[in-house]
Amino acid sequence: MNTNFEMVAKTFRGLEGVLAEELRSLGASDVEPGNRMVSFTGDLAMLYKANFCCRTALRILKPFYTFEASDPDTLYAKVKEYDWSTLLSDGKTFAIDTVAYSDEFRHSQFVTYRVKDAIVDWFRDTYGDDRRPKVRLDGADIMLNVHISGRKVTLSLDSSGESLHKRGWRVAQTDAPINEVLAAGIILMTGWRGETPFVDPMCGSGTFLIEAAMIAAGIWPGVYRKHFAFENWPDFDASLLEEIYNDDSAEREVTVPIVGADMLQGAIAVTRRNARSAGVERYLTLDVKPVEEWTAAPSPAGVLVTNPPYGRRIGSDDMNALYGNIGKILKHVFNGYHCWIIGYEDVYFHEIGLAPSQKIAVNNGGLDCELREYVIFEGKKADFRARGGEIKERKPENEGRKPARDDKKRTRRDDRRPDDRRKNDDRERRRPDSRRHDDRRTDDRDRRERPARDEAPAKEGRRPLRLDRLGRQPSIPAEKTIVVNRPVWRVRKKNQGNNENPENNDNKQ
């Protein structure tokens, strides 16, 4: 009998809504987005599907023990109270990952040591000194996650093992490749599901192109993984995982162009290797071409997503010229496209010369970046709007409108209590004036003689864009089932755990 239990899916900041929609589409219940995580409930099949099918999850946790602790000794005592024989045995290995947001527990490594000591001491007290599980940093049988928020401590089983962004298809890479989970999340955030052309003019090692091809073809990211941590659990159901793994009913043929280019021949070679490993090479059109040499875009208009250099880990001899060229091809080549650019420096974004319709905060490789959308249209903005086009959603009148400067001053002054106003008036009367009366009179005369240009009203600045608009609601609609021929990597036999390594195959060719 399958019973539901609570689970937590970890993700990057900004992708919580996309991940929540993925989980709902898979059949999860009680889906609640949080801060870089989404909580949900489901059965064992749901746990396997979340690991196997979610494109925007980093790992799936199964909480099993929650308590409160105010100091390390209480933490040790509470951990030691748990019956660890239900999860571990003396022949198993375990690893602990700790995340702490607490004034009482400021050092996560110290928390890890105390939890480890409590587990080992429980086995020693229960079975003797010689019968205890061992700690293993890499490839442990059981992976434990310790999460501390204030005084609340939650112990969870990590069902994923290696981070889920490590799909298994990447066999080569260029410098500073974008994370696979972030790339898939950005694509899903744009609303693209394979209905229109997809372009990345600076593709690097091909992460955006390959993740886009997988989305368009309905290929789940878990098909490339050789192992999940839940396969070491006592209740692991191999036949259930095999059923999920071999269900290719969501796969379909890709009928739109997925086009990529890069100025480096080596980058295109890396993209081809990765695409071949993922089984999607036949869906991609690749070319060696600098961004300024783009003269035509696939039709009809579709989506462009790219991650240009930031000038940090990798860069260009002239970063301003690079972003200026990006702006030129967007305006003159990609008419009708929705273009999404990830960047780090606002000064380089300015060189694009276009007003973004959305700005979304993302973290890429430890850098706080922005994802900006540019809606490209033909002709003048006024003509575009006259035809009914909109660059961004209209806000209702007066929504979020700030009061005028005079109103704000008057509001601040009038909102003070009478006693406060009286104290301030008295303070102003008592304040010593270091200037003589004649000096003040001279200042008045100088002000009258000041040139008139100083009295010209300041030009009104552009109203700032709101950063909290995430645009389209991400969704993963049920598509028509068009099953493609099963590629080599799709075959996974029961009782055969060692599949041939795609990287090794590639090296043989």
Side-chain angles (χ1 to χ4, degrees):
M1 178 180 178
N2 289 333
T3 57
N4 287 353
F5 48 86
E6 180 186 355
M7 287 171 274
V8 173
K10 306 289 288 185
T11 189
F12 289 118
R13 181 185 64 175
L15 301 185
E16 298 92 346
V18 184
L19 176 56
E21 190 62 26
E22 282 195 282
L23 289 167
R24 291 189 188 100
S25 71
L26 293 174
S29 305
D30 305 319
V31 179
E32 292 291 339
N35 181 23
R36 294 183 295 180
M37 52 79 68
V38 178
S39 63
F40 63 103
T41 59
D43 57 10
L44 197 61
M46 186 66 235
L47 175 74
Y48 295 176
K49 287 181 182 179
N51 278 281
F52 191 80
C53 303
C54 283
R55 305 182 192 275
T56 56
L58 290 169
R59 58 184 67 251
I60 309 298
L61 305 178
K62 179 184 178 183
F64 64 89
Y65 186 32
T66 302
F67 57 88
E68 289 195 356
S70 57
D71 56 75
D73 292 337
T74 306
L75 173 70
Y76 171 88
K78 288 289 187 179
V79 173
K80 197 176 178 183
E81 289 178 4
Y82 189 78
D83 183 2
W84 289 100
S85 64
T86 59
L87 300 176
L88 293 166
S89 63
D90 57 347
K92 294 283 187 179
T93 59
F94 70 99
I96 301 173
D97 177 47
T98 300
V99 179
Y101 304 97
S102 172
D103 292 333
E104 289 81 6
F105 302 96
R106 298 186 179 183
H107 303 288
S108 59
Q109 192 166 8
F110 179 70
V111 172
T112 299
Y113 286 143
R114 293 299 284 165
V115 172
K116 182 265 297 182
D117 290 343
I119 295 173
V120 171
D121 290 347
W122 184 91
F123 275 93
R124 283 174 173 168
D125 294 346
T126 305
Y127 300 112
D129 292 341
D130 297 334
R131 297 188 59 188
R132 47 156 287 189
K134 296 181 180 180
V135 176
R136 185 174 180 180
L137 298 180
D138 296 321
D141 296 322
I142 301 295
M143 298 187 65
L144 303 175
N145 179 275
V146 180
H147 184 276
I148 302 180
S149 177
R151 297 186 175 186
K152 183 179 179 181
V153 182
T154 303
L155 302 186
S156 304
L157 286 172
D158 184 344
S159 67
S160 304
E162 269 196 319
S163 174
L164 295 176
H165 84 273
K166 296 183 178 181
R167 311 288 204 214
W169 55 255
R170 190 185 294 278
V171 294
Q173 66 181 45
T174 56
D175 292 335
I178 192 168
N179 183 287
E180 292 87 336
V181 163
L182 180 58
I186 288 172
I187 295 171
L188 294 176
M189 201 182 298
T190 70
W192 189 85
R193 299 295 183 272
E195 306 89 348
T196 58
F198 183 92
V199 177
D200 182 357
M202 291 175 282
C203 66
S205 57
T207 308
F208 276 125
L209 300 174
I210 293 170
E211 291 293 327
M214 290 166 55
I215 291 171
I219 300 172
W220 299 124
V223 298
Y224 312 103
R225 296 264 297 204
K226 286 184 166 53
H227 184 76
F228 295 96
F230 61 73
E231 296 184 57
N232 296 327
W233 293 3
D235 62 347
F236 171 57
D237 189 337
S239 61
L240 178 59
L241 176 61
E242 209 64 39
E243 179 182 346
I244 294 171
Y245 190 99
N246 289 306
D247 180 11
D248 55 5
S249 60
E251 294 182 11
R252 53 191 179 271
E253 191 66 33
V254 178
T255 58
V256 297
I258 300 177
V259 181
D262 198 279
M263 65 180 295
L264 299 177
Q265 176 68 51
I268 296 300
V270 168
T271 298
R272 290 191 188 280
R273 289 187 63 194
N274 288 331
R276 191 179 310 126
S277 173
V280 297
E281 184 183 16
R282 63 194 177 107
Y283 300 138
L284 306 187
T285 302
L286 302 174
D287 193 11
V288 180
K289 180 166 54 178
V291 65
E292 62 270 18
E293 293 185 6
W294 280 79
T295 58
S299 60
V303 170
L304 180 150
V305 181
T306 194
N307 180 31
Y310 303 159
R312 292 297 178 112
R313 289 172 291 183
I314 55 177
S316 172
D317 294 337
D318 191 341
M319 293 292 295
N320 291 328
L322 173 63
Y323 278 77
N325 288 330
I326 293 173
K328 289 177 184 177
I329 68 162
L330 296 189
K331 286 181 282 189
H332 301 300
V333 178
F334 289 93
N335 290 322
Y337 271 71
H338 284 247
C339 303
W340 298 75
I341 313 294
I342 311 171
Y344 179 69
E345 297 285 356
D346 189 71
V347 64
Y348 297 147
F349 270 127
H350 182 72
E351 294 294 329
I352 294 177
L354 296 169
S357 59
Q358 294 188 66
K359 297 180 181 180
I360 303 172
V362 295
N363 188 285
N364 181 21
L367 298 176
D368 291 328
C369 301
E370 264 190 355
L371 172 66
R372 297 191 181 187
E373 180 194 24
Y374 300 91
V375 180
I376 312 300
F377 53 86
E378 296 187 40
K380 297 181 180 179
K381 186 185 296 185
D383 297 336
F384 174 74
R385 285 177 169 165
R387 296 193 299 267
E390 290 189 12
I391 298 176
K392 55 185 176 182
E393 293 183 26
R394 294 180 180 177
K395 295 185 292 186
E397 286 190 28
N398 300 327
E399 180 189 345
R401 184 177 178 182
K402 297 182 179 180
R405 180 177 295 179
D406 293 340
D407 293 340
K408 288 197 289 185
K409 288 182 178 179
R410 185 163 51 250
T411 301
R412 293 195 192 102
R413 185 174 299 168
D414 294 342
D415 284 347
R416 293 183 305 202
R417 296 192 302 271
D419 292 343
D420 295 336
R421 293 200 300 270
R422 191 179 302 114
K423 289 178 182 177
N424 290 335
D425 293 340
D426 293 341
R427 190 179 300 113
E428 291 176 2
R429 282 195 297 270
R430 290 196 302 270
R431 181 179 299 137
D433 196 344
S434 60
R435 299 184 302 168
R436 296 175 57 186
H437 180 70
D438 292 341
D439 296 334
R440 290 195 298 270
R441 192 164 52 192
T442 302
D443 291 343
D444 293 339
R445 185 168 60 252
D446 291 341
R447 280 194 295 271
R448 287 196 298 272
E449 296 173 358
R450 193 171 295 162
R453 61 184 175 84
D454 290 347
E455 298 174 6
K459 186 179 290 186
E460 182 178 356
R462 180 179 294 175
R463 201 164 89 187
L465 293 169
R466 291 179 59 182
L467 301 181
D468 58 349
R469 310 296 286 265
L470 292 183
R472 307 176 185 83
Q473 292 295 323
S475 61
I476 302 179
E479 300 287 345
K480 292 183 178 180
T481 301
I482 305 176
V483 181
V484 301
N485 293 330
R486 180 172 303 201
V488 175
W489 48 259
R490 201 68 175 85
V491 178
R492 172 170 169 163
K493 298 179 180 179
K494 299 179 184 178
N495 304 324
Q496 183 176 343
N498 296 323
N499 291 342
E500 191 171 354
N501 192 336
E503 183 175 6
N504 295 336
N505 292 343
D506 189 67
N507 291 334
K508 295 176 183 178
Q509 295 178 353

